[in-house]
Amino acid sequence: MNDKSLIQEFKENLKKRKLIGTKCRTCGSIGVYPNSQCRKCGNASFEKVKFSGKGTLITYTILHAVPLRFKENAPLVIGLVELEEGGRISAQLNASQDELSVGKKLEAIFQEIDGRILLKFKPLGGI
Amino acid sequence: MKVESIFITGVGQTKYGKLEGQSLSSLIYEAASMTLLDASIARSQIDAIVISNLASNRFNDQQNLTALCADVLGLSGTPAFRTGASSASGAAAIQQAVMMVKSGMFDNVLVIGVELMNQVPTDVSTSILANSTHPWEQEQGITIPALAAMCTRLNMIHNGLTREQLALVAVKNHKNALLNPLAHFHHKKVTIEDVMNSPIIADPLRLYDFSPRSDGAAAIIISSGKSVKKFCEQPIRITGIGAATDVFAYMDRENLMSLDATRLAAERALKTAGMTQKEIDILEVHDAFTPLELVNLEDMCFFERGSAGKALEEGITEREGQLPVNVSGGLKAKGHPVGATGIGQVLELTLQLRNEAGKRQVPGVETGLAHAIGGFGNNVFVTILSRT
């Protein structure tokens, strides 16, 4: 499958509130946001991986200077999450400052904003 | 392949800063005219132009800078090219010119970088600069400062980087800029408290950790050895060039704590120059954000991992230290007119190597290294210069 259809499929799945990535058939490395070539081994044949949405916070920031279209939502809490099946994804977090710590267990949520589904993460078991 | 027979024969730049009443044309004209004068070269001897700019189409509603530049300089007819490598475009333009001259097709290439950023409000500029990130990152609202902040946090946790060390980078580079009359912040002294009390932009990074939005232009002439004998009294030799790219999205990189493209570009540049880190006297390092100066010095193996901050505290990277870094003031305080920045760095090294850097001259400088980053470590260019 080419890059376009892989990305389309990833986004279609997000709309259905499903987080589905790729696993390289050659080296087994897992990608969340799709890429047409495996970055590790260069092959281009993938099988699907369905993520549970649970993961660990690797690092984060609270971003005050945001691009124009996010102005209403500033500051944005942004984190890099390692999913329990492998693979990483950066996303906005629904978490207060005192809930933020590296190593924190998180889970995916799908939030509808202006008619589009945004993948976010929140503390596991939190509100 | 060695690049040993390529020379810098002229340099010139405008003041960097928030410049009122300037246009792309006026900045290009000023920087290029100074450069031609500096090289004592006739306009007719320029056989090609390379121009570098990030986003004149967004900042100034102007595209086609190649034609504009040739026309403004009265050089219509001369071939003109443009390079793009995000905020490393200026350094990319220099390396392209080096390869053009090395190919034998051109003897004297004029390289010009320009950016006029203050014609749009800050939030528009933030959005334009965020276009350099991966499409997924853009959809989440993630900017380059956000990526730098996440990388900084990891370095604080795992490599002993401290908030005070970041502030010290800003203090050092502002101090250096006091001696650079063309710097954006030529008159602004900054203390550790100023940095620590400035507003948070991307936690843990604060306003004074960031370079300003600058207007400005810088230019240099790259010449062949054949040409240099004819007109240049004090040519500076380009002895090494190296470039590298990295995985586009930060989330997809194996290494989250440093920039692999910096390591690769530096290795390649040192290899083409046949030099080691110990033989470099002075550096201009891309410090659009304070942590970048420290992390990249480590990536280029000038200091061991986790020890650049200590070297800074000990004064090693001060102007009077053993290994001066960003004596121009760096992007942090000299300023960051994006398309011009990489050229301005090489200009500073050229002045230092010619012993023409005025009050900020570092004595006895024989070699220098310039390091430029595009995006968050996406494109890196390292250029090494020597006195001839």
Side-chain angles (χ1 to χ4, degrees), chain B residues 210-263:
Chain B
F210 293 89
S211 59
R213 292 192 301 138
S214 311
D215 308 319
I220 71 172
I221 296 171
I222 304 286
S223 299
S224 66
K226 182 174 73 181
S227 177
V228 82
K229 286 182 197 125
K230 291 185 199 153
F231 66 87
C232 191
E233 285 174 15
Q234 207 180 358
I236 298 301
R237 198 185 282 267
I238 295 188
T239 51
I241 58 171
T245 52
D246 200 351
V247 170
F248 197 4
Y250 177 65
M251 63 186 178
D252 291 321
R253 293 184 195 163
E254 274 192 42
N255 180 1
L256 297 172
M257 282 195 277
S258 58
L259 301 182
D260 281 344
T262 290
R263 177 180 55 76

Side-chain angles (χ1 to χ4, degrees), chain B residues 79-363:
Chain B
F81 306 87
R82 175 178 167 166
T83 56
S86 189
S87 40
S89 295
I94 289 173
Q95 296 203 358
Q96 183 175 330
V98 167
M99 293 182 276
M100 287 163 72
V101 173
K102 186 75 189 168
S103 79
M105 284 192 74
F106 303 98
D107 279 324
N108 298 299
V109 178
L110 177 64
V111 185
I112 302 177
V114 64
E115 209 77 52
L116 189 50
M117 305 174 78
N118 285 292
Q119 292 187 337
V120 299
T122 308
D123 49 5
V124 174
S125 172
T126 299
S127 300
I128 293 171
L129 296 171
N131 289 158
S132 285
T133 62
H134 185 278
W136 172 262
E137 292 170 337
Q138 288 195 47
E139 286 170 33
Q140 317 314 310
I142 297 174
T143 59
I144 301 175
L147 300 173
M150 291 199 281
C151 176
T152 301
R153 187 177 304 283
L154 288 173
N155 275 283
M156 286 175 142
I157 294 170
H158 299 287
N159 285 331
L161 179 65
T162 68
R163 195 35 273 195
E164 289 72 19
Q165 288 169 347
L166 299 177
L168 262 183
V169 173
V171 171
K172 170 178 74 70
N173 293 348
H174 273 283
K175 193 172 120 193
N176 288 340
L178 296 174
L179 299 176
N180 186 350
L182 297 179
H184 190 136
F185 294 121
H186 175 43
H187 296 293
K188 192 180 175 81
K189 192 170 189 304
V190 166
T191 65
I192 289 191
E193 292 71 34
D194 292 334
V195 184
M196 302 297 253
N197 295 328
S198 65
I200 293 173
I201 298 291
D203 180 63
L205 301 177
R206 292 170 179 271
L207 182 64
Y208 279 24
D209 288 305
F210 293 89
S211 59
R213 292 192 301 138
S214 311
D215 308 319
I220 71 172
I221 296 171
I222 304 286
S223 299
S224 66
K226 182 174 73 181
S227 177
V228 82
K229 286 182 197 125
K230 291 185 199 153
F231 66 87
C232 191
E233 285 174 15
Q234 207 180 358
I236 298 301
R237 198 185 282 267
I238 295 188
T239 51
I241 58 171
T245 52
D246 200 351
V247 170
F248 197 4
Y250 177 65
M251 63 186 178
D252 291 321
R253 293 184 195 163
E254 274 192 42
N255 180 1
L256 297 172
M257 282 195 277
S258 58
L259 301 182
D260 281 344
T262 290
R263 177 180 55 76
L264 281 172
E267 274 173 15
R268 289 169 184 163
L270 286 163
K271 194 176 170 198
T272 58
M275 292 170 82
T276 66
Q277 285 82 350
K278 283 194 171 65
E279 294 168 272
I280 301 292
D281 295 333
I282 187 171
L283 292 102
E284 289 285 308
V285 175
H286 188 103
D287 61 336
F289 324 125
T290 53
L292 291 179
E293 179 174 307
L294 301 174
V295 168
N296 283 290
L297 282 169
E298 293 170 7
D299 291 338
M300 292 191 282
C301 298
F302 282 92
F303 299 101
E304 280 178 26
R305 187 64 64 201
S307 66
K310 280 190 199 76
L312 171 69
E313 287 168 343
E314 289 163 9
I316 291 170
T317 54
E318 294 272 352
R319 195 172 60 86
E320 304 81 3
Q322 283 164 258
L323 187 67
V325 175
N326 289 329
V327 288
S328 67
L331 283 60
K332 175 68 198 79
K334 179 186 177 183
H336 188 16
V338 179
T341 295
I343 298 166
Q345 290 178 314
V346 171
L347 171 143
E348 174 67 18
L349 295 179
T350 304
L351 295 179
Q352 292 284 347
L353 293 175
R354 288 179 181 172
N355 204 16
E356 288 177 0
K359 286 183 185 168
R360 65 183 186 283
Q361 180 66 47
V362 179

Side-chain angles (χ1 to χ4, degrees), chain A residues 67-88:
Chain A
L68 272 178
R69 64 188 171 115
F70 293 90
K71 219 174 170 180
E72 304 297 313
N73 312 96
L76 298 176
V77 181
I78 287 161
L80 181 58
V81 182
E82 184 150 291
L83 297 172
E84 67 178 4
E85 295 83 358
R88 298 196 209 105

Side-chain angles (χ1 to χ4, degrees), chain A residues 1 10 16 19 22-24 28 32-33 45 53 55 61 64 68 71 74 82 93 97 106 109 117-118 121 125 127:
Chain A
M1 255 195 292
F10 177 75
K16 295 179 208 151
L19 186 54
T22 55
K23 181 174 178 180
C24 174
V32 186
Y33 190 91
S45 172
T61 184
H64 292 260
L68 272 178
K71 219 174 170 180
E82 184 150 291
L93 308 179
Q97 187 146 9
L106 303 173
I109 50 169
I117 299 284
L118 192 66
F121 286 82
I127 307 156

Side-chain angles (χ1 to χ4, degrees), chain A residues 90-123:
Chain A
S90 49
Q92 291 181 26
L93 308 179
N94 276 1
S96 62
Q97 187 146 9
D98 51 358
E99 287 176 311
L100 288 169
S101 61
V102 168
K104 185 102 180 165
K105 296 293 173 201
L106 303 173
E107 60 185 326
I109 50 169
F110 298 89
Q111 200 169 319
E112 195 175 331
I113 297 172
D114 301 332
R116 82 189 177 105
I117 299 284
L118 192 66
L119 170 70
K120 293 173 103 176
F121 286 82
K122 68 176 180 69

